[in-house]
Structures are given as structure tokens and as C-alpha cells.
Amino acid sequence: MAWNDPDIGKDRWKKNGEQPNDLDRIVQNWQRRLGGLFGGGSRGSGGSSGGLSGAWILIGLLIIGWALTGLYRVDEAERGIVQRFGAYTITAMPGLHWHLPYPIETVDIVNIGEVSDYSFNTEMLTADEAYLYIEMVVQFRRSDPVKYSFEVVDPEQTLREVTESALREVVGTNTMADLVAEQRDKIAPQTREILQSTLEQYGAGITITSLSLEALDYPEAVQAAVDDTQKARNDRDRYILAADTYAQRLIPIAGGEAARIVQEAEGYRDRVVAQAEGDTSRFLAVLAEYRQAPRVTRERMYIDALEDVYGDASKVILDADGSGNLLYLPIGEMLEHARQARANAPDGSQAPPPPDASDQADAEQAARDRRTRQ
């Protein structure tokens, strides 16, 4: 600013050299103007008339502002749940709407298109009492805004509690080996099915879009103890498998041995019975002959007994009366020679016949006659 500026030394709050207006005068001027617009009293009326008009104007402005608070907008993916004194009235579709201002009506905006998610982790026991740490991610959508707003006090907290309950039902009915191996891919689908069914029973208005298993492991605090337990179970299974293998190998052998012994016993029984029956038949036949010719039968039995006794002897004994020259017949050597000849004979060939019994009897009778003559 130049030093020769004519405004130097003047009060810039003054207008054309006039005195500045105070706040009361400014408010009164505005009241008069608004009173003229709304049909208020003239400028010449008293102060009470101007104050009354200003109060009504202020009340009107407040009513207008309060009415404007009822305007609300609903986006495309949202729904507006209008409540009158806390009771459900209508569901506002996307667009600009107005409702009776608070506290008469309120509006809850629920986004039904947004997919929300939350992480869930817990520790629980399996069916075989194994301790597991499980971490999951649950994605859900608020599919029914009315049920979501009224049926459950805290839908999202209820969702977390129901998720834990469903997961415990799945994990608690399976063993650790099944969950880690073949049942691992089925944990999330089974939990989701149980979770969605429970939410529908509660009427929570929530739809589970996906449920993924992020982690399935032992807690670090019990890792060593679990490893020892698993090792013991593996040893137990190994010993049981070895015992089963031994039993499967031994039982057939024992069964075959038992069958063999039974068959041998049955064969021995049949042989003894058949031999006894044969001896009985032979005895009955001899008895019948004995009754017809006792002396001949006795001699024959005597001779048969001697033959059984001395049949394998290497010496030949002759029953001869008196004394004198003894006729020696090498019957034993002849029999041995015949046995060797039969043993050495080729298959299908005829061995030399043994000495005829009649020839032997003739020789014995000749020896007796010779001793009688002497």
C-alpha cells in the first residue's frame, strides 16, 4: 500500500464513512426482510410484533430442516428397511426416498450385494481325542434384509458362533487320520452345509457364499506330545498288522495239520475196523472148518503158526522122530535165492518160482522113511 493512499487512516469497517452496524441491527434487518416475505408486520410496528414474527420464522426453518432429514438415498445393491416406531413398514428399493423424520421413522440401509468375509480360528478335539488348530475364512452375503434386521439381534456374531458349532460337529465326529487324509477336502463343504442349514432355521437372512479351510495342524504347545502319541499308535498298528500276518500264515498251516491228523485217524480207524472185521470173518470160517474136521484143522493151524513164526528165519528146522542120518536140504538158501531173484528181476518179467511145497513134503516123507528103515 502506498503512503499517499487516501484511505490511509480510515476505518475499513465503516461504509462510506458511516458508523458500523452492530449485530442486533443486522439481525433486525434480516427479520424485517423475512417478515415482509411471509406477510409480517410493517416496519412501523412495535418491537414485540417483530420478535413474534422472528420466532415463527425460526420455527418454520426448524420444521423445514427437520423434514429435510427424512430424505435418503438407496443404491443399486442396497435395500432400505423403513421402521415406524421400531416396527417394520416397507422395504425401499434403489432410488431417492423420503420418510417421516426421526423419531417417527428410521431407515436401516442393508447392502445385499456386498460379499463380506471374516477369518475364524479355533482349537478343538477330534473323535480320537487329537488336538487340532483350525483356521477358516467364511464369505457371506446379506440375502434377506428384513430377516437380517429383525430376526436375530446380532446376525454377524451369531454367524461366528454357528460357524464354530458347525465346525465342531464335523471335526468331533471324525478321527485325526481321516481329517488329515481323505476327509480334509470334505471339511469345508460339510461345515458350510451345516452352517447354512442352521442359519436358515434361525432366519438370520445370511447366505454363505464360500467357506475355505486355510490351516489344519496341531497347536505348537502340544506338538511334541501329539508326535509321541502318533508314534505309539503307529507302533501299535504295526504290531497288530504283524500279529495278523502271523495268524493268517499260521492258521492255514494248523488247519491243514489238523485235517491231516483227522484224516490219518479216520484212515487208522477204518483200517483197524476192516482188519477186525477180516479177522472175525476168518475166525468164523476157521471155526466152521474146525467143526467139520477138528484134527485136520488143528494140524493146519499148527503148521500155519509155525510158518508165521519161522517164515523169516534163516535156518530150517525139521520135525523128525528118532535119530540117524539127517538129510540136509538148503531150503533157507533156496528161499533166499528166490527172493533175490524176484527183487533183481526187471519189471514185467517172471521171477523163478519158489520150491513147490509138495516137493518139500515128498522130500520130508522120504527122509522119514529112510530113518525108519535104518
Side-chain angles (χ1 to χ4, degrees):
M1 180 182 296
W3 290 101
N4 57 358
D5 190 349
D7 293 333
I8 295 177
K10 294 182 179 181
D11 190 354
R12 293 184 177 277
W13 296 104
K14 294 180 180 180
K15 185 175 181 181
N16 297 326
E18 298 178 356
Q19 294 295 326
N21 295 326
D22 55 7
L23 183 61
D24 293 337
R25 294 180 62 185
I26 294 173
V27 172
Q28 291 177 1
N29 291 333
W30 277 104
Q31 287 179 353
R32 285 194 298 269
R33 292 176 182 177
L34 291 175
L37 292 175
F38 292 97
S42 61
R43 295 183 181 180
S45 61
S48 60
S49 176
L52 184 59
S53 299
W56 281 107
I57 292 171
L58 181 60
I59 293 174
L61 291 175
L62 291 176
I63 293 174
I64 294 173
W66 178 69
L68 291 176
T69 59
L71 293 174
Y72 65 97
R73 181 177 179 178
V74 180
D75 292 336
E76 184 65 27
E78 298 175 341
R79 296 294 183 270
I81 307 302
V82 181
Q83 307 168 42
R84 182 173 299 168
F85 297 111
Y88 169 73
T89 304
I90 60 172
T91 300
M93 303 304 290
L96 184 62
H97 303 274
W98 181 84
H99 69 90
L100 294 176
Y102 181 84
I104 301 176
E105 289 184 349
T106 57
V107 179
D108 291 337
I109 303 298
V110 180
N111 193 328
I112 63 173
E114 179 185 8
V115 177
S116 304
D117 61 63
Y118 73 93
S119 297
F120 173 80
N121 58 80
T122 185
E123 297 176 357
M124 56 186 62
L125 292 175
T126 62
D128 55 349
E129 299 182 355
Y131 203 48
L132 283 181
Y133 171 78
I134 299 178
E135 182 177 354
M136 307 184 74
V137 175
V138 181
Q139 293 184 341
F140 64 95
R141 185 171 56 86
R142 303 165 185 85
S143 57
D144 193 327
V146 178
K147 291 183 178 180
Y148 180 83
S149 300
F150 294 99
E151 295 296 332
V152 181
V153 176
D154 191 347
E156 297 187 7
Q157 180 62 30
T158 302
L159 174 61
R160 288 176 171 82
E161 294 175 356
V162 174
T163 301
E164 182 175 1
S165 176
L167 184 59
R168 288 187 183 277
E169 181 176 349
V170 174
V171 174
T173 55
N174 291 277
T175 62
M176 176 64 187
D178 294 337
L179 293 174
V180 173
E182 57 187 18
Q183 293 290 335
R184 182 184 179 92
D185 296 335
K186 299 180 181 179
I187 295 176
Q190 292 178 356
T191 304
R192 177 183 176 183
E193 181 179 355
I194 297 173
L195 175 58
Q196 186 64 56
S197 176
T198 306
L199 291 175
E200 291 176 358
Q201 293 178 2
Y202 288 169
I206 295 176
T207 300
I208 305 300
T209 58
S210 68
L211 192 149
S212 60
L213 181 64
E214 300 294 326
L216 177 64
D217 203 353
Y218 299 112
E220 295 182 358
V222 297
Q223 185 68 42
V226 171
D227 292 341
D228 293 340
T229 304
Q230 189 65 33
K231 182 179 179 181
R233 288 175 178 170
N234 293 336
D235 292 341
R236 180 198 63 185
D237 295 340
R238 179 166 54 83
Y239 292 145
I240 292 175
L241 181 61
D244 292 340
T245 303
Y246 176 74
Q248 292 175 1
R249 185 178 66 252
L250 183 62
I251 290 175
I253 296 175
E257 186 68 18
R260 184 183 61 81
I261 294 174
V262 170
Q263 290 178 357
E264 290 179 355
E266 291 176 351
Y268 174 76
R269 178 197 63 190
D270 296 339
R271 184 173 65 254
V272 170
V273 170
Q275 184 177 357
E277 292 176 351
D279 293 341
T280 303
S281 300
R282 185 169 57 255
F283 177 80
L284 294 176
V286 172
L287 178 61
E289 295 293 333
Y290 180 79
R291 288 175 178 175
Q292 295 178 3
R295 181 173 175 277
V296 175
T297 304
R298 282 198 302 270
E299 290 181 357
R300 182 178 177 183
M301 293 176 63
Y302 175 74
I303 294 172
D304 291 339
L306 290 178
E307 183 179 359
D308 292 337
V309 173
Y310 297 108
D312 295 331
S314 60
K315 295 181 180 180
V316 177
I317 300 176
L318 298 177
D319 185 10
D321 296 334
S323 61
N325 296 328
L326 178 62
L327 177 63
Y328 174 72
L329 296 176
I331 298 176
E333 295 179 0
M334 296 170 62
L335 294 176
E336 182 66 22
H337 177 71
R339 283 195 297 270
Q340 291 180 358
R342 287 195 300 270
N344 295 329
D347 295 340
S349 61
Q350 295 292 333
D356 192 358
S358 60
D359 295 340
Q360 294 181 8
D362 294 340
E364 292 175 359
Q365 185 64 34
R368 289 192 188 96
D369 295 340
R370 194 179 298 112
R371 285 194 298 273
T372 301
R373 288 194 299 270
Q374 290 178 355

